[in-house]
Each structure stands twice: as C-alpha cells, then as structure tokens.
Short mmCIF file of all heavy atoms in Angstrom, two decimals:
data_model
loop_
_atom_site.label_atom_id
_atom_site.label_comp_id
_atom_site.label_asym_id
_atom_site.label_seq_id
_atom_site.Cartn_x
_atom_site.Cartn_y
_atom_site.Cartn_z
N LYS A 264 121.20 79.36 95.45
CA LYS A 264 121.35 79.24 96.91
C LYS A 264 119.99 79.01 97.57
O LYS A 264 119.85 78.14 98.44
CB LYS A 264 122.00 80.50 97.48
CG LYS A 264 122.12 80.48 99.00
CD LYS A 264 122.72 81.78 99.52
CE LYS A 264 122.78 81.76 101.05
NZ LYS A 264 123.35 83.03 101.60
N GLN A 265 118.99 79.77 97.16
CA GLN A 265 117.65 79.64 97.73
C GLN A 265 117.10 78.23 97.54
O GLN A 265 116.54 77.63 98.46
CB GLN A 265 116.70 80.66 97.10
CG GLN A 265 115.26 80.56 97.59
CD GLN A 265 114.35 81.56 96.90
OE1 GLN A 265 114.78 82.63 96.51
NE2 GLN A 265 113.07 81.21 96.74
N TYR A 266 117.31 77.69 96.34
CA TYR A 266 116.79 76.36 96.04
C TYR A 266 117.56 75.27 96.81
O TYR A 266 116.97 74.32 97.32
CB TYR A 266 116.85 76.08 94.55
CG TYR A 266 116.26 74.76 94.16
CD1 TYR A 266 114.90 74.52 94.26
CD2 TYR A 266 117.07 73.72 93.72
CE1 TYR A 266 114.34 73.29 93.91
CE2 TYR A 266 116.54 72.49 93.37
CZ TYR A 266 115.17 72.29 93.46
OH TYR A 266 114.63 71.06 93.14
N ILE A 267 118.87 75.42 96.89
CA ILE A 267 119.69 74.43 97.59
C ILE A 267 119.31 74.36 99.07
O ILE A 267 119.21 73.28 99.66
CB ILE A 267 121.19 74.76 97.43
CG1 ILE A 267 121.61 74.56 95.97
CG2 ILE A 267 122.05 73.89 98.35
CD1 ILE A 267 123.02 75.09 95.67
N LEU A 268 119.10 75.52 99.68
CA LEU A 268 118.83 75.55 101.12
C LEU A 268 117.38 75.25 101.47
O LEU A 268 117.10 74.58 102.47
CB LEU A 268 119.23 76.92 101.69
CG LEU A 268 120.71 77.29 101.62
CD1 LEU A 268 120.94 78.67 102.18
CD2 LEU A 268 121.56 76.27 102.38
N SER A 269 116.45 75.76 100.67
CA SER A 269 115.04 75.66 101.05
C SER A 269 114.22 74.73 100.16
O SER A 269 113.10 74.36 100.51
CB SER A 269 114.40 77.06 101.01
OG SER A 269 114.33 77.55 99.68
N GLY A 270 114.74 74.38 98.99
CA GLY A 270 113.98 73.56 98.06
C GLY A 270 112.92 74.34 97.32
O GLY A 270 112.11 73.75 96.60
N GLU A 271 112.91 75.65 97.47
CA GLU A 271 111.89 76.50 96.84
C GLU A 271 112.45 77.12 95.56
O GLU A 271 113.52 77.73 95.57
CB GLU A 271 111.45 77.60 97.79
CG GLU A 271 110.81 77.09 99.07
CD GLU A 271 110.49 78.21 100.04
OE1 GLU A 271 110.78 79.39 99.70
OE2 GLU A 271 109.96 77.93 101.13
N LEU A 272 111.71 76.96 94.49
CA LEU A 272 112.11 77.56 93.22
C LEU A 272 111.71 79.03 93.18
O LEU A 272 110.57 79.37 93.54
CB LEU A 272 111.46 76.83 92.05
CG LEU A 272 112.10 75.52 91.60
CD1 LEU A 272 111.20 74.83 90.58
CD2 LEU A 272 113.47 75.78 90.99
N PRO A 273 112.60 79.92 92.78
CA PRO A 273 112.22 81.32 92.63
C PRO A 273 111.13 81.47 91.57
O PRO A 273 111.00 80.65 90.66
CB PRO A 273 113.53 81.99 92.18
CG PRO A 273 114.61 81.03 92.57
CD PRO A 273 114.00 79.68 92.48
N ALA A 274 110.36 82.49 91.69
CA ALA A 274 109.26 82.73 90.75
C ALA A 274 109.80 82.83 89.32
O ALA A 274 110.78 83.54 89.05
CB ALA A 274 108.54 84.03 91.12
N GLY A 275 109.17 82.08 88.43
CA GLY A 275 109.54 82.12 87.02
C GLY A 275 110.73 81.24 86.66
O GLY A 275 111.13 81.18 85.50
N GLU A 276 111.31 80.53 87.65
CA GLU A 276 112.45 79.67 87.39
C GLU A 276 112.02 78.20 87.36
O GLU A 276 111.05 77.81 88.02
CB GLU A 276 113.53 79.85 88.48
CG GLU A 276 114.15 81.24 88.51
CD GLU A 276 115.11 81.47 87.36
OE1 GLU A 276 115.65 80.49 86.83
OE2 GLU A 276 115.32 82.64 87.00
N GLU A 277 112.73 77.39 86.60
CA GLU A 277 112.53 75.95 86.58
C GLU A 277 113.80 75.26 87.03
O GLU A 277 114.90 75.79 86.86
CB GLU A 277 112.14 75.48 85.18
CG GLU A 277 110.81 76.04 84.68
CD GLU A 277 110.44 75.47 83.32
OE1 GLU A 277 110.89 74.34 83.02
OE2 GLU A 277 109.72 76.14 82.58
N GLU A 278 113.64 74.07 87.60
CA GLU A 278 114.80 73.36 88.16
C GLU A 278 115.87 73.10 87.10
O GLU A 278 117.07 73.19 87.38
CB GLU A 278 114.36 72.04 88.79
CG GLU A 278 115.48 71.32 89.51
CD GLU A 278 115.01 70.08 90.24
OE1 GLU A 278 113.79 69.81 90.23
OE2 GLU A 278 115.87 69.38 90.82
N LYS A 279 115.44 72.82 85.87
CA LYS A 279 116.42 72.54 84.82
C LYS A 279 117.27 73.75 84.48
O LYS A 279 118.34 73.62 83.87
CB LYS A 279 115.70 72.04 83.56
CG LYS A 279 114.75 73.06 82.93
CD LYS A 279 114.08 72.49 81.69
CE LYS A 279 113.14 73.49 81.05
NZ LYS A 279 113.85 74.70 80.56
N ASP A 280 116.81 74.95 84.86
CA ASP A 280 117.56 76.17 84.57
C ASP A 280 118.60 76.48 85.65
O ASP A 280 119.40 77.40 85.48
CB ASP A 280 116.60 77.35 84.44
CG ASP A 280 115.65 77.18 83.27
OD1 ASP A 280 116.08 76.62 82.24
OD2 ASP A 280 114.47 77.60 83.39
N LEU A 281 118.55 75.74 86.76
CA LEU A 281 119.51 75.97 87.84
C LEU A 281 120.70 75.04 87.66
O LEU A 281 120.55 73.83 87.53
CB LEU A 281 118.85 75.73 89.20
CG LEU A 281 117.61 76.59 89.51
CD1 LEU A 281 117.05 76.22 90.87
CD2 LEU A 281 117.97 78.07 89.48
N TRP A 282 121.90 75.59 87.68
CA TRP A 282 123.12 74.82 87.43
C TRP A 282 123.65 74.28 88.76
O TRP A 282 124.62 74.80 89.31
CB TRP A 282 124.16 75.68 86.73
CG TRP A 282 123.76 75.99 85.33
CD1 TRP A 282 122.74 76.80 84.93
CD2 TRP A 282 124.36 75.48 84.13
NE1 TRP A 282 122.67 76.83 83.56
CE2 TRP A 282 123.64 76.04 83.05
CE3 TRP A 282 125.42 74.63 83.87
CZ2 TRP A 282 123.98 75.75 81.72
CZ3 TRP A 282 125.74 74.35 82.56
CH2 TRP A 282 125.03 74.90 81.50
N ILE A 283 122.97 73.24 89.27
CA ILE A 283 123.35 72.66 90.55
C ILE A 283 123.63 71.17 90.37
O ILE A 283 123.40 70.60 89.31
CB ILE A 283 122.25 72.87 91.60
CG1 ILE A 283 120.94 72.21 91.15
CG2 ILE A 283 122.05 74.36 91.88
CD1 ILE A 283 119.82 72.31 92.17
N LEU A 284 124.11 70.53 91.43
CA LEU A 284 124.41 69.11 91.40
C LEU A 284 123.14 68.28 91.47
O LEU A 284 122.17 68.68 92.12
CB LEU A 284 125.33 68.74 92.56
CG LEU A 284 126.77 69.28 92.47
CD1 LEU A 284 127.45 69.21 93.82
CD2 LEU A 284 127.55 68.50 91.44
N TYR A 285 123.18 67.11 90.86
CA TYR A 285 122.01 66.23 90.91
C TYR A 285 121.75 65.74 92.33
O TYR A 285 120.62 65.45 92.70
CB TYR A 285 122.20 65.04 89.96
CG TYR A 285 123.20 64.02 90.45
CD1 TYR A 285 122.79 62.91 91.18
CD2 TYR A 285 124.56 64.18 90.20
CE1 TYR A 285 123.72 61.99 91.65
CE2 TYR A 285 125.49 63.27 90.66
CZ TYR A 285 125.06 62.17 91.38
OH TYR A 285 125.98 61.27 91.85
N ASP A 286 122.81 65.66 93.15
CA ASP A 286 122.65 65.22 94.54
C ASP A 286 122.92 66.36 95.51
O ASP A 286 123.40 66.15 96.63
CB ASP A 286 123.58 64.04 94.84
CG ASP A 286 125.06 64.40 94.65
OD1 ASP A 286 125.34 65.46 94.04
OD2 ASP A 286 125.91 63.62 95.10
N GLU A 287 122.61 67.57 95.08
CA GLU A 287 122.90 68.76 95.89
C GLU A 287 122.22 68.67 97.26
O GLU A 287 122.81 69.03 98.28
CB GLU A 287 122.45 70.02 95.17
CG GLU A 287 123.00 71.30 95.76
CD GLU A 287 124.34 71.71 95.17
OE1 GLU A 287 124.42 71.93 93.95
OE2 GLU A 287 125.31 71.82 95.94
N HIS A 288 120.98 68.19 97.30
CA HIS A 288 120.27 68.13 98.57
C HIS A 288 120.97 67.18 99.55
O HIS A 288 121.12 67.50 100.74
CB HIS A 288 118.82 67.67 98.37
CG HIS A 288 118.01 67.65 99.63
ND1 HIS A 288 117.65 68.80 100.31
CD2 HIS A 288 117.53 66.61 100.37
CE1 HIS A 288 116.97 68.47 101.39
NE2 HIS A 288 116.88 67.15 101.46
N ASP A 289 121.41 66.03 99.06
CA ASP A 289 122.13 65.09 99.94
C ASP A 289 123.42 65.71 100.46
O ASP A 289 123.78 65.53 101.63
CB ASP A 289 122.45 63.80 99.17
CG ASP A 289 121.21 63.01 98.81
OD1 ASP A 289 120.18 63.20 99.48
OD2 ASP A 289 121.26 62.22 97.85
N ARG A 290 124.10 66.44 99.61
CA ARG A 290 125.37 67.06 100.02
C ARG A 290 125.16 68.13 101.08
O ARG A 290 125.89 68.21 102.07
CB ARG A 290 126.09 67.66 98.80
CG ARG A 290 126.66 66.61 97.85
CD ARG A 290 127.21 67.28 96.60
NE ARG A 290 127.76 66.34 95.65
CZ ARG A 290 129.04 66.01 95.54
NH1 ARG A 290 129.92 66.57 96.36
NH2 ARG A 290 129.47 65.14 94.64
N ILE A 291 124.14 68.98 100.87
CA ILE A 291 123.92 70.06 101.83
C ILE A 291 123.41 69.50 103.16
O ILE A 291 123.72 70.01 104.24
CB ILE A 291 122.96 71.14 101.28
CG1 ILE A 291 122.95 72.39 102.18
CG2 ILE A 291 121.55 70.60 101.11
CD1 ILE A 291 124.24 73.13 102.22
N MET A 292 122.66 68.38 103.12
CA MET A 292 122.19 67.76 104.35
C MET A 292 123.36 67.15 105.13
O MET A 292 123.40 67.22 106.37
CB MET A 292 121.14 66.70 104.04
CG MET A 292 119.79 67.24 103.63
SD MET A 292 119.02 68.27 104.93
CE MET A 292 119.42 69.93 104.34
N LYS A 293 124.28 66.53 104.43
CA LYS A 293 125.46 65.97 105.09
C LYS A 293 126.29 67.09 105.70
O LYS A 293 126.81 66.96 106.82
CB LYS A 293 126.29 65.17 104.09
CG LYS A 293 127.48 64.48 104.72
CD LYS A 293 128.23 63.62 103.69
CE LYS A 293 129.42 62.91 104.35
NZ LYS A 293 130.15 62.08 103.35
N PHE A 294 126.42 68.18 104.97
CA PHE A 294 127.17 69.33 105.48
C PHE A 294 126.48 69.89 106.73
O PHE A 294 127.14 70.21 107.72
CB PHE A 294 127.26 70.41 104.40
CG PHE A 294 128.02 71.64 104.82
CD1 PHE A 294 129.40 71.65 104.78
CD2 PHE A 294 127.36 72.79 105.24
CE1 PHE A 294 130.11 72.79 105.16
CE2 PHE A 294 128.06 73.91 105.62
CZ PHE A 294 129.44 73.93 105.58
N ALA A 295 125.14 69.99 106.68
CA ALA A 295 124.38 70.50 107.83
C ALA A 295 124.57 69.60 109.05
O ALA A 295 124.70 70.09 110.18
CB ALA A 295 122.90 70.61 107.46
N GLU A 296 124.59 68.30 108.81
CA GLU A 296 124.78 67.36 109.92
C GLU A 296 126.16 67.54 110.55
O GLU A 296 126.31 67.55 111.78
CB GLU A 296 124.61 65.94 109.42
CG GLU A 296 124.78 64.88 110.50
CD GLU A 296 124.61 63.47 109.95
OE1 GLU A 296 124.28 63.32 108.76
OE2 GLU A 296 124.84 62.52 110.74
N ASN A 297 127.18 67.68 109.70
CA ASN A 297 128.54 67.84 110.21
C ASN A 297 128.71 69.16 110.98
O ASN A 297 129.47 69.23 111.95
CB ASN A 297 129.54 67.79 109.07
CG ASN A 297 129.64 66.42 108.43
OD1 ASN A 297 129.29 65.42 109.05
ND2 ASN A 297 130.10 66.36 107.19
N GLU A 298 127.99 70.18 110.52
CA GLU A 298 128.11 71.50 111.16
C GLU A 298 127.04 71.75 112.21
O GLU A 298 126.96 72.84 112.77
CB GLU A 298 128.05 72.61 110.09
CG GLU A 298 129.15 72.55 109.05
CD GLU A 298 130.52 72.81 109.64
OE1 GLU A 298 130.59 73.47 110.71
OE2 GLU A 298 131.52 72.35 109.05
N ARG A 299 126.20 70.72 112.45
CA ARG A 299 125.12 70.81 113.45
C ARG A 299 124.16 71.98 113.17
O ARG A 299 123.79 72.74 114.06
CB ARG A 299 125.70 70.93 114.86
CG ARG A 299 126.47 69.69 115.31
CD ARG A 299 126.93 69.83 116.75
NE ARG A 299 127.51 68.62 117.25
CZ ARG A 299 128.79 68.27 117.11
NH1 ARG A 299 129.60 69.09 116.46
NH2 ARG A 299 129.25 67.14 117.61
N LEU A 300 123.77 72.10 111.90
CA LEU A 300 122.81 73.14 111.53
C LEU A 300 121.39 72.62 111.69
O LEU A 300 121.12 71.44 111.48
CB LEU A 300 123.04 73.57 110.07
CG LEU A 300 124.41 74.18 109.75
CD1 LEU A 300 124.53 74.43 108.26
CD2 LEU A 300 124.61 75.47 110.52
N LYS A 301 120.48 73.49 112.06
CA LYS A 301 119.08 73.12 112.24
C LYS A 301 118.39 72.97 110.89
O LYS A 301 118.59 73.78 109.99
CB LYS A 301 118.36 74.16 113.08
CG LYS A 301 118.84 74.23 114.53
CD LYS A 301 118.04 75.27 115.31
CE LYS A 301 118.52 75.33 116.76
NZ LYS A 301 117.75 76.35 117.54
N THR A 302 117.58 71.94 110.77
CA THR A 302 116.80 71.73 109.55
C THR A 302 115.32 71.64 109.91
O THR A 302 114.95 71.32 111.05
CB THR A 302 117.23 70.43 108.83
OG1 THR A 302 117.08 69.33 109.74
CG2 THR A 302 118.68 70.52 108.40
N ASP A 303 114.45 71.93 108.92
CA ASP A 303 113.01 71.85 109.17
C ASP A 303 112.52 70.41 108.97
O ASP A 303 113.31 69.53 108.59
CB ASP A 303 112.26 72.83 108.26
CG ASP A 303 112.41 72.49 106.77
OD1 ASP A 303 112.74 71.33 106.45
OD2 ASP A 303 112.19 73.38 105.94
N PRO A 304 111.25 70.12 109.25
CA PRO A 304 110.73 68.75 109.13
C PRO A 304 110.90 68.16 107.72
O PRO A 304 110.92 66.93 107.57
CB PRO A 304 109.26 68.90 109.50
CG PRO A 304 109.22 70.09 110.40
CD PRO A 304 110.25 71.03 109.86
N ASN A 305 111.00 69.01 106.70
CA ASN A 305 111.17 68.51 105.34
C ASN A 305 112.64 68.29 104.97
O ASN A 305 112.95 67.90 103.84
CB ASN A 305 110.54 69.49 104.35
CG ASN A 305 109.04 69.59 104.53
OD1 ASN A 305 108.37 68.58 104.75
ND2 ASN A 305 108.50 70.81 104.43
N GLY A 306 113.54 68.55 105.91
CA GLY A 306 114.96 68.31 105.66
C GLY A 306 115.67 69.45 104.97
O GLY A 306 116.64 69.23 104.25
N TYR A 307 115.20 70.67 105.17
CA TYR A 307 115.87 71.83 104.58
C TYR A 307 116.42 72.73 105.68
O TYR A 307 115.95 72.69 106.82
CB TYR A 307 114.91 72.60 103.67
CG TYR A 307 114.59 71.85 102.40
CD1 TYR A 307 113.40 71.13 102.27
CD2 TYR A 307 115.50 71.82 101.34
CE1 TYR A 307 113.12 70.43 101.10
CE2 TYR A 307 115.22 71.12 100.18
CZ TYR A 307 114.03 70.42 100.07
OH TYR A 307 113.77 69.73 98.92
N ILE A 308 117.39 73.53 105.31
CA ILE A 308 118.09 74.38 106.29
C ILE A 308 117.34 75.69 106.47
O ILE A 308 117.02 76.38 105.50
CB ILE A 308 119.53 74.64 105.83
CG1 ILE A 308 120.30 73.31 105.74
CG2 ILE A 308 120.24 75.60 106.77
CD1 ILE A 308 121.70 73.47 105.21
N LYS A 309 117.09 76.00 107.73
CA LYS A 309 116.38 77.24 108.01
C LYS A 309 117.31 78.46 107.95
O LYS A 309 116.94 79.52 107.46
CB LYS A 309 115.75 77.16 109.41
CG LYS A 309 114.61 76.14 109.53
CD LYS A 309 114.03 76.17 110.93
CE LYS A 309 112.84 75.22 111.04
NZ LYS A 309 112.23 75.23 112.40
N GLU A 310 118.51 78.27 108.48
CA GLU A 310 119.40 79.42 108.58
C GLU A 310 120.84 78.95 108.49
O GLU A 310 121.21 77.92 109.07
CB GLU A 310 119.17 80.13 109.92
CG GLU A 310 119.88 81.46 110.05
CD GLU A 310 119.50 82.18 111.34
OE1 GLU A 310 118.35 82.01 111.80
OE2 GLU A 310 120.35 82.91 111.86
N ILE A 311 121.66 79.69 107.76
CA ILE A 311 123.07 79.36 107.63
C ILE A 311 123.88 80.65 107.56
O ILE A 311 123.45 81.62 106.90
CB ILE A 311 123.34 78.48 106.38
CG1 ILE A 311 124.78 78.00 106.33
CG2 ILE A 311 122.99 79.23 105.10
CD1 ILE A 311 125.06 76.98 105.25
#
C-alpha cells in the first residue's frame, strides 16, 4: 500500500519483492482522478 500510494519502498524491501501490478501507478492515478483525490507534484497520492 505504501509503495502504491507514495512510490516509496519500505526499508529493506525491493520492488521485485512486492506483489503488485506492472501498471499499478497508472491504475491508482486514474482512480484518484475519478475520485478527485489530491496528488503531489510527482503524481502520488498524499491522503486516501
């Protein structure tokens, strides 16, 4: 969840170890747009 929303990897974790979609960022951004959620300048969700 942390990586999907913020793009930040938890300490000691690698992206290949996270079982997420290859286009997860595009999907969450589309969802944020539909739900009118605020995103930061890098295109990540601040709060949900």
Side-chain angles (χ1 to χ4, degrees):
K264 177 183 178 181
Q265 178 182 330
Y266 183 69
I267 292 170
L268 296 178
S269 68
E271 299 175 0
L272 280 171
E276 295 286 335
E277 296 184 26
E278 186 175 357
K279 63 180 180 63
D280 297 325
L281 301 179
W282 290 69
I283 60 177
L284 290 163
Y285 73 94
D286 60 346
E287 194 89 60
H288 182 68
D289 293 337
R290 289 174 181 264
I291 191 66
M292 287 299 99
K293 184 177 181 180
F294 181 81
E296 180 181 355
N297 292 338
E298 299 295 336
R299 294 184 173 87
L300 298 175
K301 293 182 179 180
T302 58
D303 63 21
N305 295 319
Y307 290 99
I308 298 176
K309 292 182 177 180
E310 189 174 329
I311 187 171

